[in-house]
């Protein structure tokens, strides 16, 4: 049964911390959602510990800075973890491929992400030992990177995907293709893909470790059944689905709780424990 609520403070006292997705929950990629900042400030003032867990291919620092520039006080969040940060830390600790060909939203993103790692960035797949898929331009078509990925597959190069999202929200309610969609195609063609981010367990464990919480009394708030809800449920956290995110069209009619439960069944994923229209 999905319990629908109007405000997070109705259930906040049940948890040792609340972990929030970024895109689709805090903001639409351009500006905060109405009421989001005020809701989090009220929770923080009441002693609720808050963290961000995002499937962004960039490191935590640039993401935290962007959110702060939108008006979210940096002091709100005790931990800001991204999938790009998780991959960077893994490479820093365990070693990285000697060279990478990076697919990102801009050429500068790869260089910024790789700073401090012992590896080289290659302009062409033919000279690389692996591919890093960290972001896509908003105008990216499904076949935009077909040629380099086909070459990578022919050379049996591993692909590291630091943003497993299939789609991402943009201002006005638009959805754009995300790196996870291309990684899925690469995997389906027989390629080897290493995913970093939700719904995979390591990034959830990284947040719990950063918060020093072992009780399991954590709440994952997100707008994706396949990433936030599936991942949070998989590690034993309680979960809350924001209905105005990427599933907005599918949840536009009928009883909210019943609609969420029906969509979860149709998508073959666990239903969230809670649901609300938007962060409040």
């Amino acid at each position: 049964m999905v319990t629908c609520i109007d405000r997070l403070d109705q259930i906040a006292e049940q948890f040792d911390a609340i972990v929030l997705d970024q895109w689709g929950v805090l903001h639409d990629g351009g500006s905060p959602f109405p009421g989001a900042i005020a809701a989090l400030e009220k929770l923080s003032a009441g002693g609720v510990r808050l963290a961000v867990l995002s499937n962004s291919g960039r490191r935590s620092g640039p993401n935290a800075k962007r959110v702060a520039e939108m008006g979210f006080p940096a002091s709100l969040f005790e931990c800001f973890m991204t999938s790009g940060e998780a991959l960077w830390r893994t490479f820093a600790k365990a070693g990285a491929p000697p060279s990478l060909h990076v697919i990102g939203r801009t050429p500068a993103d790869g260089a910024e992400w790789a700073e401090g790692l012992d590896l080289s960035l290659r302009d062409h797949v033919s000279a690389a030992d692996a591919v890093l898929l960290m972001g896509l331009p908003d105008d990216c078509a499904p076949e935009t990177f077909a040629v380099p990925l086909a070459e990578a597959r022919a050379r049996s190069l591993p692909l590291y995907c630091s943003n497993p999202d299939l789609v991402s929200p943009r201002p006005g309610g638009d959805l754009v293709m995300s790196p996870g969609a291309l990684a899925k195609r690469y995997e389906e063609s027989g390629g080897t893909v290493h995913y970093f981010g939700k719904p995979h367990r390591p990034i959830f464990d990284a947040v719990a470790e950063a918060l020093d919480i072992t009780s399991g009394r954590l709440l994952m708030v997100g707008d994706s059944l396949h990433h936030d809800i599936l991942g949070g449920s998989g590690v034993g956290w309680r979960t809350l689905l924001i209905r105005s995110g990427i599933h907005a069209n599918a949840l536009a009619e009928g009883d909210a709780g019943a609609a969420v439960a029906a969509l979860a069944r149709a998508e073959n994923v666990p239903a969230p424990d809670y649901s609300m229209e938007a962060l409040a």
Side-chain angles (χ1 to χ4, degrees):
M1 176 175 155
V2 179
T3 301
C4 292
I5 62 173
D6 297 316
R7 305 182 320 277
L8 266 180
D9 61 12
Q10 294 174 243
I11 59 172
E13 65 180 12
Q14 301 176 33
F15 304 102
D16 293 329
I18 295 176
V19 181
L20 304 118
D21 179 34
Q22 183 185 174
W23 298 63
V25 174
L26 302 182
H27 61 79
D28 63 4
S31 58
F33 290 121
I37 295 175
L40 296 184
E41 287 180 330
K42 181 178 180 181
L43 288 169
S44 181
V48 178
R49 301 173 69 188
L50 302 171
V52 174
L53 178 54
S54 171
N55 271 2
S56 168
R58 303 177 73 191
R59 294 193 62 192
S60 294
N63 278 274
K65 180 181 178 182
R66 182 176 187 180
V67 168
E69 289 173 346
M70 290 184 187
F72 292 88
S75 59
L76 284 177
F77 306 114
E78 191 171 329
C79 170
F80 206 113
M81 179 64 66
T82 67
S83 46
E85 181 71 25
L87 176 58
W88 190 95
R89 292 186 183 190
T90 297
F91 280 173
K93 181 178 181 180
S99 63
L100 289 174
H101 173 71
V102 179
I103 297 175
R105 294 189 70 190
T106 70
D109 284 353
E112 178 187 55
W113 175 86
E115 186 175 350
L117 292 176
D118 184 19
L119 58 81
S120 300
L121 300 183
R122 305 298 189 196
D123 292 334
H124 301 287
V125 171
S126 60
D129 296 291
V131 175
L132 169 59
L133 180 52
M134 63 179 296
L136 297 174
D138 281 359
D139 59 355
C140 181
E143 302 306 320
T144 300
F145 296 100
V147 172
L149 289 178
E151 183 175 353
R153 176 67 191 93
R155 297 186 57 221
S156 299
L157 297 186
L159 185 147
Y160 293 87
C161 179
S162 59
N163 182 345
D165 284 351
L166 302 176
V167 295
S168 295
R170 291 295 184 268
D174 291 337
L175 296 176
V176 298
M177 184 174 66
S178 285
L182 289 189
K184 183 178 180 182
R185 290 187 177 197
Y186 194 78
E187 190 172 33
E188 289 173 346
S189 72
T192 298
V193 178
H194 303 283
Y195 291 99
F196 283 77
K198 300 171 289 186
H200 307 282
R201 184 178 190 112
I203 197 167
F204 290 90
D205 290 342
V207 172
E209 181 179 355
L211 294 170
D212 194 24
I213 293 177
T214 59
S215 65
R217 284 169 36 99
L218 291 121
L219 176 69
M220 180 72 225
V221 179
D223 71 321
S224 169
L225 286 170
H226 294 279
H227 299 99
D228 306 304
I229 306 308
L230 177 61
S233 298
V235 296
W237 297 9
R238 305 291 287 280
T239 59
L240 185 153
L241 181 74
I242 297 294
R243 298 192 298 276
S244 56
I246 63 173
H247 300 300
N249 289 338
L251 301 173
E253 299 179 358
D255 175 78
V260 170
L263 182 60
R265 287 194 299 272
E267 298 293 326
N268 196 30
V269 296
D273 299 289
Y274 304 98
S275 177
M276 58 194 304
E277 178 62 21
L279 191 60

